[in-house]
Amino acid sequence: MKHPEEHTLELYVLNAAAVAPRRAEIEEHVKSCAGCKSLVGEMSAYYSELDQELQKPKAPVSTTVERQLAKRNSDLAIWEDRLATSPTTGWTAPVKTIRYYIRRYPMATAGTTFAFAALAGIGSLMGYREVTKDLDPAYAELNKLSGHLEVYNRGNDLLWKRIVRGIDTTLDMQNISGNPRYAVFDIDADGRKEVLTTLEMTGEPVMPKLGLHIIDGSGNNRELLFSRTISFRGTPYEIPITLEAGSLFVIDSTDPAHPEILVTVKNDRSPNAIVRMNAQGDVIGEYWHHGQVRSLYLHDLDGDGRRELLFCGTNDVDDNIGPAIPVIGVLDPQKLVGRRESRLARGYGYGESDAELYYVAFPLTEVNTYTHSAAGVDRIRLEHDRILIHWTSREGESNMYALEFVLSLSLEPLRTLSTTQTKELFDREYAAKHISTRLDDAYLEALRSQIRFWDGEGWSAKAVRVSHTHTAPEL
């Protein structure tokens, strides 16, 4: 007599669609085979017990906030606004762990007696799962087809996944900026990596939209939160500025024993800020900027072994009299200390930042002048001895066009490049007599010559550093 495989019997007990065509055949065999009938009975009893356990009312769980906002230094008010850590939430409730074990190892549970299966489930509760599965995240990826953020170990086992809200938009933004909003890194130096992300994720357990999520290989998470009510030039913002789902971050691992996080807090337009914090969520420094911070990068530009922080986006300070301008900034992350504001975006009431090494403004085109439209820098790409600045703007609601400014590693402007789409746009506007200049080599060279560098007092056509001739006031 040929017996069905044990895995097939398990699928039969679970009423799986995969064995639907063979259901009558399996039922006939089970009736006449005492061994298979006994095995099916054990499997059925096991799953019945699990279902009954799941239906029991859950006892209320009392959680306490593991860390509170604390004033660590009476001289620095910034410590009053340290990033708070929320209570830890987990995915490893006992019954869920048993059920996960069964689904992950169906042959181990269904292929033996009920006693062994129960023992395997109990063993998983006692930490045996750590022995059978590597829970150290190795990499993560966004799966566009399923809409999930998926996290895997070194053996390519899926550790957990969560649905990402707006994954198509997220992937589009990631392709433009070049930096994903998730990273796998051992942020707490315990020998196991965590997944850090600002993606908005749905499903169970519920995760807040705001905050930087730090999630281990078992799915347990904690949140680093930030919220601040501010005003700019005397006008208060009604909604506090927060670390939200669109925030960007990079990890500064210059000191492996004490890694730091550089993360943006943002509004839809202005203001944005870059916050430097340690792995515990303590704020070390803030850099406030009136305009968008669209991308963040760490790169050693001058070859001294220390990476600089590059950001790009827009400056909106004077958008009441003209379009926002495209900008990039180069900061010394070690000088992001205390609460400071950009010298090019004064108005928050904070001291001037001395972290700025370079602050560069890029020109608007004649199409921008005609359409009264802003432009911005979406991304920075480093290739060997060059820095490529990706400049974008829109004509109307949907017609995007782009330029690329090429700089040396010392930020000397080298040349300006145009896309075919941008040239076609200029040709149409020129033919309609909306603009007076074609997008030819001479015009591209004129745009290159209009790049300006802030020297601390005014704008310069030379690639100069920001000069810090006075000390910013203490908080």
Side-chain angles (χ1 to χ4, degrees):
M1 179 183 296
K2 186 177 180 180
H3 302 275
E5 294 180 353
E6 293 170 351
H7 180 60
T8 301
L9 290 177
E10 182 191 37
L11 294 176
Y12 165 78
V13 169
L14 294 174
N15 200 27
V19 297
R22 299 185 56 192
R23 177 162 293 278
E25 172 193 341
I26 296 170
E27 286 177 350
E28 190 65 25
H29 177 85
V30 168
K31 288 179 183 179
S32 60
C33 178
C36 290
K37 184 176 182 180
S38 175
L39 184 56
V40 166
E42 289 175 357
M43 291 178 185
S44 300
Y46 187 70
Y47 282 104
S48 176
E49 280 197 13
L50 288 179
D51 287 333
Q52 290 173 17
E53 182 67 21
L54 282 173
Q55 293 174 20
K56 289 181 180 179
K58 295 180 180 179
V61 178
S62 61
T63 59
T64 58
V65 177
E66 297 176 329
R67 304 175 63 220
Q68 302 289 339
L69 291 173
K71 189 174 176 101
R72 294 291 185 87
N73 189 321
S74 58
D75 297 326
L76 294 179
I78 191 169
W79 299 112
E80 294 177 346
D81 296 300
R82 65 192 294 266
L83 297 182
T85 305
S86 70
T88 298
T89 59
W91 293 356
T92 53
V95 171
K96 291 184 180 178
T97 304
I98 296 174
R99 174 157 284 185
Y100 174 86
Y101 186 90
I102 294 166
R103 289 179 177 172
R104 183 69 180 141
Y105 304 101
M107 296 303 293
T109 54
T112 59
T113 65
F114 172 77
F116 178 82
L119 180 61
I122 294 170
S124 69
L125 300 182
M126 299 173 63
Y128 291 177
R129 181 180 172 189
E130 294 287 338
V131 177
T132 59
K133 186 171 185 177
D134 176 12
L135 294 177
D136 188 12
Y139 63 96
E141 60 183 28
L142 285 174
N143 187 327
K144 184 175 182 179
L145 294 177
S146 67
H148 288 86
L149 174 67
E150 299 176 344
V151 178
Y152 296 86
N153 64 16
R154 286 172 297 180
N156 301 314
D157 294 317
L158 177 66
L159 298 181
W160 55 264
K161 62 182 180 179
R162 293 295 296 260
I163 297 174
V164 175
R165 189 181 299 277
I167 193 169
D168 288 339
T169 301
T170 298
L171 285 168
D172 288 343
M173 293 175 62
Q174 179 174 306
N175 291 335
I176 292 173
S177 69
N179 25 356
R181 294 214 313 272
Y182 58 90
V184 178
F185 188 84
D186 182 8
I187 196 65
D188 55 8
D190 67 348
R192 287 178 176 269
K193 297 183 180 67
E194 290 79 32
V195 178
L196 288 77
T197 181
T198 55
L199 294 170
E200 184 181 354
M201 294 183 288
T202 62
E204 295 292 337
V206 175
M207 297 177 67
K209 176 180 179 181
L210 305 180
L212 176 64
H213 316 300
I214 302 179
I215 314 171
D216 65 18
S218 298
N220 304 307
N221 71 285
R222 63 187 178 105
E223 311 295 331
L224 297 184
L225 310 175
F226 185 96
S227 182
R228 171 83 56 72
T229 300
I230 65 167
S231 62
F232 183 75
R233 296 181 179 177
T235 302
Y237 281 74
E238 296 180 2
I239 301 176
I241 309 304
T242 59
L243 187 76
E244 63 178 44
S247 295
L248 308 166
F249 71 95
V250 291
I251 299 169
D252 188 350
S253 57
T254 304
D255 180 359
H258 302 93
E260 295 178 347
I261 302 170
L262 298 159
V263 62
T264 63
V265 295
K266 63 189 294 291
N267 199 2
D268 288 339
R269 188 173 60 90
S270 293
N272 283 196
I274 299 172
V275 177
R276 176 189 175 200
M277 58 185 174
N278 62 22
Q280 290 72 47
D282 300 320
V283 173
I284 302 170
E286 302 173 10
Y287 171 84
W288 287 83
H289 183 265
H290 203 72
Q292 294 180 346
V293 176
R294 297 183 179 178
S295 300
L296 289 178
Y297 309 88
L298 280 168
H299 191 81
D300 182 7
L301 290 178
D302 52 14
D304 65 352
R306 297 173 61 246
R307 295 188 296 175
E308 288 77 39
L309 176 66
L310 289 76
F311 74 89
C312 60
T314 63
N315 185 309
D316 297 337
V317 169
D318 296 320
D319 65 351
N320 59 326
I321 59 176
I325 59 173
V327 299
I328 68 167
V330 181
L331 308 178
D332 181 347
Q334 297 304 308
K335 291 185 178 180
L336 289 175
V337 179
R339 190 180 304 160
R340 299 287 187 262
E341 62 186 45
S342 169
R343 293 171 183 255
L344 276 299
R346 301 305 311 276
Y348 298 101
Y350 307 146
E352 291 182 351
S353 174
D354 61 356
E356 289 174 336
L357 301 176
Y358 292 93
Y359 194 100
V360 189
F362 293 85
L364 299 173
T365 68
E366 193 175 355
V367 173
N368 293 108
T369 303
Y370 163 66
T371 59
H372 304 285
S373 57
V377 177
D378 284 334
R379 71 172 180 266
I380 299 171
R381 195 167 77 253
L382 292 111
E383 292 186 355
H384 307 297
D385 58 348
R386 302 184 305 166
I387 305 173
L388 306 180
I389 308 298
H390 189 255
W391 177 109
T392 60
S393 186
R394 290 184 183 276
E395 182 200 31
E397 291 298 319
S398 59
N399 194 4
M400 179 177 285
Y401 58 103
L403 297 168
E404 195 162 68
F405 292 88
V406 184
L407 311 180
S408 70
L409 291 183
S410 58
L411 275 70
E412 291 283 350
L414 300 178
R415 59 185 302 199
T416 307
L417 304 172
S418 169
T419 64
T420 301
Q421 181 183 7
T422 303
K423 187 178 185 306
E424 291 173 349
L425 169 65
F426 270 71
D427 287 344
R428 291 196 303 270
E429 297 296 341
Y430 181 82
K433 298 184 178 180
H434 294 151
I435 60 175
S436 60
T437 309
R438 289 185 179 276
L439 189 63
D440 52 18
D441 290 343
Y443 189 75
L444 291 173
E445 171 59 22
L447 291 175
R448 184 202 65 82
S449 69
Q450 292 171 35
I451 299 173
R452 292 293 181 265
F453 297 79
W454 180 253
D455 65 8
E457 299 294 333
W459 293 101
S460 171
K462 295 182 179 180
V464 295
R465 283 180 167 238
V466 177
S467 174
H468 304 285
T469 57
H470 61 279
T471 304
E474 292 299 319
L475 293 169

